[in-house]
Amino acid sequence: MPENYFGGETAARYDESTGPYFDPAVIATTVDFLVPLASGGALEFAIGTGRIALPLAQRGVRVAGIDLSARHGRSAAQEAERRRDTSPQSAITRRRRSTGTFSLVYLVFNSINNQTTQEAQVASFENAAAHLEPGGRFVVEVGVPNTQRLEVFDLSDTHVGVDELDFDTQRLVSHHFNLIDGRWERFSIPFRSVSPAELDLMAGLAGMTLSERWSGWEREPFTSESPKHVSVWQKP
Ligand SMILES: C[S@@+](CC[C@H](N)C(=O)[O-])C[C@H]1O[C@@H](n2cnc3c(N)ncnc32)[C@H](O)[C@@H]1O
């Protein structure tokens, strides 16, 4: 079982998070993008607390989810319309951990980077393909790789975020320094950085081809300046 950095306190505080990913307008554009692809139901890999799955279900989509963190998956399960489809404590790298097939599988909020080896990322694509019906789509939202070994991604009076990247292994560690009760505390999470081209190769290994790539959920063009992408691969 992969190590879980999102259990316990992190899961408990998750829905109190702020920042762009929790902005209701951002969630709405994400859901607007996904709804037309989900006529045959949607499966969210790394569903978390249902930040996207719950509003998607409220739009009438049959939504299932998989998450490593029992607390995350379970809280989504408690609220999601189709709670019996949600599989807490399941890894997205294991083939077919949810029942049935879907027209959409999606993995957002950089969660492909939580798979910290190339093998695990390839397995995520293979598992997505295994859950898709013919013509179904796999949607991934993820940042492009950093260009510096050390990058400050946040700087405020109470939080400093520094990414540390090893260009050889593509291992990325995000260091969070939080000011809590007057003391700075450090929390570091490992990731694996991955380029759009390498993701296309993984999709190809899983039998899928790229059908769309945007820099955001409003279908903004993806360019060499884009900090992230929303990519859609299709199963034949
Ligand atoms: C940043 S959160 C994203 C949650 C949710 N998708 C969202 O957009 O709010 C990352 C999630 O990935 C889950 N996760 C990490 N590795 C996983 C794995 N191998 N299998 C399933 N879930 C995993 C964590 O438990 C956590 O819920």
Side-chain angles (χ1 to χ4, degrees):
M1 175 75 71
E3 201 160 349
N4 178 13
Y5 287 84
F6 293 89
E9 277 294 293
T10 309
R13 290 198 308 263
Y14 191 79
D15 285 334
E16 295 158 23
S17 310
T18 54
Y21 286 95
F22 298 86
D23 177 345
V26 171
I27 293 173
T29 53
T30 307
V31 171
D32 285 347
F33 186 102
L34 297 174
V35 165
L37 306 178
S39 57
L43 172 63
E44 179 166 0
F45 278 176
I47 188 171
T49 55
R51 182 183 67 93
I52 300 301
L54 295 177
L56 197 57
Q58 281 157 12
R59 295 275 295 270
V61 172
R62 172 177 65 92
V63 184
I66 292 175
D67 201 283
L68 196 57
S69 160
R71 185 134 186 201
H72 261 154
R74 203 173 292 136
S75 59
Q78 279 161 2
E79 293 167 51
E81 272 175 36
R82 295 187 173 261
R83 65 192 71 183
R84 69 189 159 77
D85 281 346
T86 304
S87 319
Q89 252 173 352
S90 290
I92 61 178
T93 47
R94 290 201 214 141
R95 293 197 80 167
R96 300 194 65 88
R97 297 297 298 182
S98 192
T99 48
T101 54
F102 304 83
S103 62
L104 171 67
V105 178
Y106 65 98
L107 178 58
V108 296
F109 202 166
N110 300 315
S111 300
I112 186 71
N113 297 134
N114 290 121
Q115 315 313 308
T116 55
T117 64
Q118 190 181 52
E119 292 74 19
Q121 291 180 344
V122 168
S124 302
F125 275 79
E126 288 172 342
N127 199 15
H131 280 99
L132 283 173
E133 61 192 30
R137 284 152 171 116
F138 183 39
V139 175
V140 169
E141 175 195 34
V142 63
V144 300
N146 292 355
T147 55
Q148 305 293 318
R149 196 178 77 78
L150 291 174
E151 285 190 20
V152 176
F153 61 86
D154 190 34
L155 182 60
S156 76
D157 291 343
T158 55
H159 177 252
V160 179
V162 181
D163 273 346
E164 181 184 7
L165 176 63
D166 179 337
F167 287 99
D168 183 21
T169 60
Q170 296 176 214
R171 181 179 165 83
L172 176 76
V173 182
S174 290
H175 302 285
H176 296 267
F177 300 87
N178 292 297
L179 187 61
I180 298 170
D181 298 331
R183 278 168 49 96
W184 284 96
E185 292 184 13
R186 176 176 142 183
F187 176 55
S188 298
I189 312 179
F191 296 99
R192 182 177 186 271
S193 179
V194 60
S195 70
E198 191 182 2
L199 291 171
D200 290 342
L201 187 63
M202 292 178 186
L205 291 173
M208 299 184 286
T209 49
L210 183 71
S211 61
E212 297 176 51
R213 173 160 291 139
W214 309 101
S215 73
W217 295 108
E218 295 189 76
R219 292 190 162 77
E220 303 91 333
F222 179 72
T223 71
S224 53
E225 308 295 316
S226 302
K228 67 174 233 184
H229 59 106
V230 173
S231 294
V232 183
W233 294 273
Q234 189 164 21
K235 182 171 170 171

